Amino acid sequence: MLRKDFYFDLPQDLIAQYPSGIRGEDKLMELGRFDGHVSHHLMHELPDLISSDTLMIFNNSKVRKARVYGIKETTGREQEFMFLNQTDTSGTAWNTMVKSAKKQKPGMRYKFQDGLIGTIIENPQNEGTEFRTLKFESVIDESWFEKNGHIPLPPYIKREDTEADSERYQTVYAKETGSAACPTAGLHFTNEMLEQLKNKGIDLDWVTLHVGLGTFLPVREDKIEDHKMHEEVFTVSSETARKVNEAKEKSRPILAVGTTSVRTLESACDEHGLVVAGTQKTHIFMYPGFKFRIVDQMFTNFHTPESTLIMLVSAFAGRESILDAYRTAVAKRYRFFSYGDAMLIK
């Protein structure tokens, strides 16, 4: 299967550069998973579209202010680093994604906003990639990112982050810090919406997948089967695993909010079709032909052409149905990507 099979034309003015004026005031497309039928709604209608016996699973990962700028000591030039994960237990070495990575060599030193120095160190795994390992003189913790970092808005948002993004590029239920990008399907939900869902009898529960390169790195291979997903860490609690397995046993629908929740649940599924609790790593790649064993319904955003995310929803609802729905979304002026409108597939 080819990457170009997942291309669609998208006018640039439909790529949302800002969130809607008020959280949750977004359009919502409903897509029939098996018949491709499309209907148009608003986000506040969502509780009416979900049956009361549904178990909804959300990703409660919190976005880290992971985009940090350092000044190269020898030139005084500013360099952007996207901090991804620690590479040792000391908390002083971090794996980062770097612009113009070929020019960033081991031994180069960068001074960050608070004066802390980071030095690029040798890491054979980084050779030929856009990644570099930074070693610091002291521990880098979440308070350091809060002081020195910026919200890591995706590259298709053509502006600098603002103070408003600190709130709007974060779900209202975000709890566990560690993501380098937001699990954006959840941005549509307000606390009031969550209460409405509960009041209808819909069961809500949480998993954690820290969004990293596995989710947002582009597919560069022409044959999608050649694409290698990067690992991401996820956690499923014993209580959540119990709820999911009981729901499956009783044939209750399981609705995953966001592709990261889908990836978590399907990655946590064992050979018996049961979700296993614990913390694991996943590099699962879902494209047409993938067999879903846990998730029955999906709430998601509209995704970028030729991305692993549009491949995932195509695996779930069929490539032609997804591309037809996206063409309809373009015609109806839906807003796309992280700050855009939403889709319910059921």
Side-chain angles (χ1 to χ4, degrees):
M1 193 166 287
L2 300 177
R3 184 184 65 205
K4 66 180 182 181
D5 294 335
F6 299 89
Y7 178 81
F8 64 94
D9 286 318
L10 179 65
Q12 289 294 302
D13 66 330
L14 293 184
I15 300 174
Q17 298 297 306
Y18 292 89
S20 56
I22 299 175
R23 188 189 293 265
E25 291 193 351
D26 305 294
K27 293 180 182 178
L28 173 63
M29 176 186 287
E30 183 180 11
L31 173 66
R33 181 182 177 188
F34 301 108
D35 64 9
H37 177 73
V38 166
S39 57
H40 303 284
H41 306 271
L42 297 174
M43 184 63 194
H44 68 79
E45 300 174 65
L46 180 66
D48 298 329
L49 304 176
I50 302 174
S51 62
S52 59
D53 60 342
T54 300
L55 172 60
M56 293 182 72
I57 302 294
F58 298 77
N59 180 10
N60 65 4
S61 182
K62 188 174 183 179
V63 180
R64 173 182 288 134
K65 288 188 174 180
R67 195 180 53 173
V68 191
Y69 295 93
I71 302 298
K72 190 175 181 180
E73 280 195 336
T74 55
T75 64
R77 288 184 178 177
E78 186 176 73
Q79 179 65 46
E80 178 183 320
F81 295 89
M82 175 75 81
F83 283 68
L84 299 172
N85 57 276
Q86 296 181 26
T87 61
D88 62 5
T89 56
S90 71
T92 61
W94 282 76
N95 188 34
T96 67
M97 187 164 65
V98 191
K99 289 187 174 181
S100 305
K102 289 182 180 179
K103 298 179 181 178
Q104 315 310 319
K105 309 290 186 183
M108 289 182 174
R109 288 160 52 92
Y110 297 85
K111 180 181 286 188
F112 290 86
Q113 182 176 310
D114 64 347
L116 198 61
I117 300 294
T119 304
I120 296 179
I121 62 173
E122 291 276 3
N123 186 339
Q125 295 180 338
N126 291 338
E127 289 191 16
T129 73
E130 56 265 75
F131 309 118
R132 294 293 181 268
T133 301
L134 274 179
K135 180 75 172 178
F136 289 86
E137 304 154 323
S138 57
V139 173
I140 300 297
D141 58 16
E142 295 308 327
S143 64
W144 186 84
F145 287 108
E146 284 297 316
K147 293 175 185 175
N148 295 275
H150 295 258
I151 290 292
L153 294 178
Y156 47 73
I157 294 181
K158 306 295 185 183
R159 61 177 177 82
E160 292 299 313
D161 63 305
T162 67
E163 190 59 37
D165 293 306
S166 297
E167 186 256 333
R168 291 301 300 271
Y169 195 67
Q170 200 82 264
T171 64
V172 298
Y173 48 79
K175 182 180 179 182
E176 306 293 339
T177 302
S179 280
C182 184
T184 53
L187 294 178
H188 301 280
F189 290 83
T190 62
N191 287 315
E192 292 75 18
M193 169 64 73
L194 297 176
E195 285 303 313
Q196 290 175 35
L197 294 166
K198 290 178 187 175
N199 291 339
K200 187 176 177 178
I202 295 166
D203 201 0
L204 314 183
D205 217 310
W206 322 92
V207 295
T208 304
L209 181 142
H210 292 313
V211 183
L213 294 178
T215 295
F216 67 78
L217 199 68
V219 177
R220 297 189 176 102
E221 306 289 344
D222 290 331
K223 293 183 179 179
I224 66 171
E225 294 87 350
D226 295 335
H227 176 71
K228 297 293 186 286
M229 296 284 283
H230 286 259
E231 284 188 337
E232 292 170 311
V233 177
F234 70 87
T235 300
V236 179
S237 70
S238 298
E239 177 66 9
T240 301
R242 181 189 65 78
K243 282 188 177 183
V244 172
N245 292 332
E246 282 187 1
K248 293 304 290 185
E249 184 180 355
K250 296 177 181 177
S251 298
R252 293 170 52 204
I254 295 173
L255 195 170
V257 175
T259 57
T260 57
S261 297
V262 175
R263 295 183 71 231
T264 298
L265 292 173
E266 297 296 334
S267 296
C269 183
D270 68 10
E271 65 271 19
H272 306 295
L274 297 174
V275 168
V276 178
T279 297
Q280 304 178 52
K281 293 180 179 179
T282 182
H283 51 76
I284 193 169
F285 182 19
M286 303 177 185
Y287 52 85
F290 181 87
K291 303 300 182 185
F292 292 83
R293 296 191 289 170
I294 302 298
V295 177
D296 305 298
Q297 301 174 10
M298 189 189 312
F299 180 94
T300 187
N301 279 12
F302 291 89
H303 303 295
T304 54
E306 300 183 343
S307 65
T308 61
L309 302 180
I310 194 172
M311 294 169 191
L312 187 155
V313 295
S314 295
F316 193 71
R319 187 180 69 91
E320 288 302 324
S321 288
I322 289 292
L323 292 178
D324 284 346
Y326 275 45
R327 283 188 281 268
T328 299
V330 169
K332 294 284 187 179
R333 305 288 297 173
Y334 277 70
R335 300 165 75 239
F336 278 69
F337 309 161
S338 295
Y339 275 148
D341 294 312
M343 174 185 279
L344 174 66
I345 307 174
K346 63 187 282 279

